[in-house]
Amino acid sequence: MLEDDEVQILRLLAAGQKDESVARVLGVSVRTIQRKIQSMQRSFGAASRFQLGAISARHSLVD
């Protein structure tokens, strides 16, 4: 299961926000956002950020 901040990251990315913007919203570093995205990619078996987004949408994790 995803943590609340991971869901928020996916939603912000799906809305077209860049890593820098997501980091500002969550009050963390850009590197933290990049690490969380990489971790989610590994968890879902996604080869890319795009594929992570597609998997997230398919599982209704993002609107």
Side-chain angles (χ1 to χ4, degrees), residues 1-29:
M1 193 66 176
L2 293 173
E3 296 176 12
D4 291 339
D5 63 334
E6 292 173 327
V7 173
Q8 192 170 9
I9 290 169
L10 291 173
R11 287 185 176 149
L12 290 167
L13 292 175
Q17 299 295 316
K18 299 200 179 297
D19 292 356
E20 294 80 9
S21 181
V22 174
R24 266 193 309 277
V25 168
L26 296 180
V28 297
S29 73

Side-chain angles (χ1 to χ4, degrees), residues 10-59:
L10 291 173
R11 287 185 176 149
L12 290 167
L13 292 175
Q17 299 295 316
K18 299 200 179 297
D19 292 356
E20 294 80 9
S21 181
V22 174
R24 266 193 309 277
V25 168
L26 296 180
V28 297
S29 73
V30 173
R31 186 66 186 131
T32 296
I33 296 301
Q34 293 168 342
R35 280 191 206 122
K36 285 196 172 273
I37 292 169
Q38 290 172 348
S39 175
M40 287 187 283
Q41 280 180 241
R42 281 191 300 275
S43 294
F44 283 99
S48 68
R49 291 167 66 117
F50 181 82
Q51 189 177 24
L52 176 63
I55 292 168
S56 300
R58 187 170 52 237
H59 292 284

